[in-house]
Amino acid sequence: MALSPVSTYTFAVEPFTEDAAGRLSWRVLGNRLLRCAGLHAAERGFGFADVVQSGRAWVLSRLVIEMQRMPASGEGYAISTWVAGLKRQFTERRYRIAAPGGEVLGYAYSIWALISTDTRRPIDLSAMGDEAAPLRAVPDEPFPDIRPGRIRVHEAERPAAEHTCRYTDLDVNGHLNSIRYIELLLDLFPPERFGSAGERPAAPRRIDMAYCAETAPGERIRLFADDLSGDSVQVEMRKDDGTVVARGEVTF
Amino acid sequence: MALSPVSTYTFAVEPFTEDAAGRLSWRVLGNRLLRCAGLHAAERGFGFADVVQSGRAWVLSRLVIEMQRMPASGEGYAISTWVAGLKRQFTERRYRIAAPGGEVLGYAYSIWALISTDTRRPIDLSAMGDEAAPLRAVPDEPFPDIRPGRIRVHEAERPAAEHTCRYTDLDVNGHLNSIRYIELLLDLFPPERFGSAGERPAAPRRIDMAYCAETAPGERIRLFADDLSGDSVQVEMRKDDGTVVARGEVTF
């Protein structure tokens, strides 16, 4: 029996995983989106553990999360995910986040590359055979246009913040966790910007991340932004040698 | 039917919640200990939501966690908790963390005060009537001597690190989350100190925290330590005005 191309995983907002307004934290939501990618892929034979056996690894390149409402403390929520397209060097994965009654809370969009762990170069996904069949099973699911945009920082000469990669920042690969970059972005703003749960059902409402390089323990990254006061703020994160590790846009 | 004085809650180590060695992170473990305190208390009528109705709040004063082994990615674990004593101003809560087969992974010890939210002063728990009966039902559970010690920093004049309280640090009360102080402590050390999962089944093996004051958004705390190289490191966290917000001891 063929597996449906969409899988759904259910969670609840546990106390002590919310923000100050009692909404699910971006950290937990983000890491669960990555977790669901892993579960969905593993069920179809191309999960992290599967591809590592052939010297390959999935690498996150873009992540957009757009929320109408963040679930609140104690609330359940379901993350549905599916693969929505296979390009030469990238695969597109989509997500829908919904309340138990069906209310759509938000959507997420991600781009992943399959790289060779030897060469660190992307593998040509279009040349893959039957193995990639599950990646080609694109379901007919409604999805809004939340595609990533161009993120550019032009004028900033002085960093708005800096961060040195430490133990609690690390993921199992020993690099700064992808979602931790989102936290560094959010921490550029005063907590008042995020409002209360009632007035701001999701704050920010959209996060758009472009991942460019990895950050190792002890490395310092500096965050540059032209202007932090607008409704939409673009940020570039650079290592001391100028390498851009990530770009991000936060929309309130 | 009387509820047993011990409650047990089961969890699993989800991928993307581990440290670089694939062990459950201290952040998730710590927040789940607080969560289990809340669940256990609520089941007995004196949870966070119950006491707030009468203008009171539970405040964490000490937390010791001593682990023989941290559960690894994908593993299940159970947290059992019970109240082990009622003093005038404090109640003692104990925890056992165990693997599904029964292997004890570690223990935790905590001290909580019930304060009046008006006066911020502790309530005399010994003068409470029937309401406090569940706090007096002390079970006969084996428990090692992991009591908190004296944490003193004598000579440090220059901070080892500093941190300004930001949005992602906040708990639902709008203060720096109790477990976040543990992360600030751990981040004083180079990631190499924590070793790999095989060589270091728990690293550090013990954390002892004393909570003294709250940190609000925008406030800066500085971490002072006499010496970071020993097996046991004592740290004091102070605001700019000298107020000690927390002390901690990490034992590798």
Side-chain angles (χ1 to χ4, degrees):
Chain A
M1 200 184 78
L3 209 55
S4 148
V6 183
S7 287
T8 299
Y9 309 95
T10 57
F11 301 98
V13 185
E14 280 184 50
F16 299 99
T17 68
E18 330 94 324
D19 74 359
R23 299 167 296 214
L24 174 63
S25 70
W26 286 91
R27 178 195 185 103
V28 171
L29 175 62
N31 279 310
R32 284 194 165 151
L33 293 173
L34 303 187
R35 170 70 177 135
C36 290
L39 287 168
H40 178 275
E43 287 161 12
R44 288 156 183 85
F46 61 99
F48 295 103
D50 302 301
V51 300
V52 82
Q53 289 178 356
S54 45
R56 297 174 296 176
W58 286 111
V59 173
L60 181 64
S61 167
R62 293 302 295 252
L63 178 62
V64 180
I65 310 174
E66 202 167 304
M67 299 298 289
Q68 280 86 61
R69 180 168 82 77
M70 272 289 188
S73 193
E75 260 192 277
Y77 61 102
I79 297 176
S80 300
T81 183
W82 61 95
V83 173
L86 188 70
K87 298 275 162 59
R88 249 175 66 85
Q89 301 207 328
F90 295 105
T91 177
E92 181 189 324
R93 172 179 293 285
R94 295 178 177 180
Y95 299 90
R96 181 178 54 246
I97 303 109
E103 176 202 359
V104 174
L105 301 172
Y107 291 95
Y109 173 106
S110 60
I111 293 284
W112 300 76
L114 187 64
I115 64 160
S116 154
T117 44
D118 277 345
T119 65
R120 310 297 293 175
R121 308 281 311 164
I123 283 158
D124 184 349
L125 295 165
S126 64
M128 285 171 74
D130 283 353
E131 181 200 16
L135 296 171
R136 295 193 185 97
V138 174
D140 184 25
E141 289 285 329
F143 198 76
D145 185 5
I146 62 162
R147 275 173 300 187
R150 234 169 203 276
I151 305 171
R152 284 286 176 273
V153 174
H154 299 283
E155 291 155 22
E157 283 172 12
R158 289 174 54 186
E162 59 176 57
H163 180 78
T164 300
C165 178
R166 303 287 185 199
Y167 169 66
T168 68
D169 296 324
L170 302 178
D171 62 19
V172 284
N173 297 312
H175 297 117
L176 197 135
N177 164 275
S178 305
I179 306 305
R180 186 76 184 107
Y181 292 100
I182 296 179
E183 291 198 311
L184 295 177
L185 262 186
L186 297 178
D187 283 344
L188 291 174
F189 302 94
E192 309 87 75
R193 280 294 292 267
F194 299 88
S196 64
E199 89 186 279
R200 294 279 196 103
R205 62 178 186 80
R206 175 184 164 100
I207 287 175
D208 182 347
M209 296 295 300
Y211 297 102
C212 311
E214 283 159 342
T215 305
E219 285 188 319
R220 183 174 71 163
I221 53 180
R222 295 192 293 174
L223 289 79
F224 293 86
D226 289 330
D227 177 12
L228 289 173
S229 64
D231 282 344
S232 193
V233 174
Q234 302 199 329
V235 178
E236 193 165 89
M237 307 188 192
R238 299 179 206 145
K239 293 191 199 181
D240 287 348
D241 68 2
T243 308
V244 175
V245 288
R247 293 190 183 89
E249 185 182 56
V250 178
T251 308
F252 282 93
Chain B
M1 199 184 79
L3 210 55
S4 148
V6 183
S7 287
T8 299
Y9 309 95
T10 58
F11 301 98
V13 186
E14 279 185 50
F16 299 97
T17 67
E18 330 94 323
D19 73 359
R23 299 167 297 216
L24 173 63
S25 69
W26 286 91
R27 178 195 186 102
V28 172
L29 175 61
N31 279 309
R32 284 195 164 150
L33 293 174
L34 302 187
R35 169 70 177 134
C36 290
L39 287 168
H40 178 275
E43 287 162 11
R44 289 157 182 84
F46 60 100
F48 295 103
D50 302 302
V51 299
V52 83
Q53 289 179 356
S54 45
R56 297 173 297 174
W58 285 110
V59 173
L60 181 63
S61 167
R62 294 300 296 249
L63 178 62
V64 180
I65 311 174
E66 202 168 305
M67 299 298 287
Q68 281 86 60
R69 180 169 83 76
M70 272 288 188
S73 193
E75 260 191 277
Y77 61 101
I79 297 176
S80 300
T81 184
W82 61 96
V83 172
L86 189 70
K87 298 274 162 56
R88 249 175 66 87
Q89 300 207 329
F90 295 106
T91 176
E92 182 189 323
R93 172 179 292 285
R94 296 178 177 181
Y95 299 91
R96 181 177 56 243
I97 303 110
E103 175 203 0
V104 174
L105 301 172
Y107 292 95
Y109 173 106
S110 60
I111 293 283
W112 300 76
L114 187 64
I115 64 161
S116 154
T117 44
D118 278 344
T119 65
R120 309 299 291 173
R121 308 281 310 165
I123 283 159
D124 184 350
L125 294 165
S126 63
M128 285 171 74
D130 282 354
E131 182 199 16
L135 296 171
R136 295 193 185 98
V138 174
D140 183 27
E141 290 285 329
F143 198 76
D145 185 4
I146 63 162
R147 275 173 298 188
R150 232 169 205 276
I151 305 171
R152 284 286 176 271
V153 174
H154 299 283
E155 290 155 24
E157 283 172 12
R158 290 175 53 187
E162 60 175 58
H163 180 78
T164 299
C165 179
R166 302 286 185 199
Y167 169 67
T168 69
D169 296 322
L170 302 178
D171 62 18
V172 282
N173 298 314
H175 298 118
L176 197 135
N177 164 275
S178 305
I179 306 304
R180 186 77 183 108
Y181 292 99
I182 296 179
E183 291 198 311
L184 296 178
L185 261 187
L186 298 177
D187 283 344
L188 291 175
F189 303 95
E192 309 86 77
R193 280 294 293 268
F194 300 88
S196 64
E199 93 188 272
R200 295 279 195 102
R205 61 177 186 80
R206 176 184 165 101
I207 287 173
D208 182 347
M209 296 297 299
Y211 297 101
C212 311
E214 283 159 343
T215 305
E219 285 188 317
R220 183 173 71 163
I221 53 179
R222 295 194 291 173
L223 289 79
F224 293 87
D226 288 331
D227 176 13
L228 289 173
S229 64
D231 282 345
S232 194
V233 174
Q234 303 200 327
V235 178
E236 194 165 88
M237 307 188 193
R238 299 180 206 144
K239 293 190 198 181
D240 287 349
D241 68 4
T243 309
V244 175
V245 288
R247 293 189 183 90
E249 186 182 55
V250 179
T251 307
F252 282 92

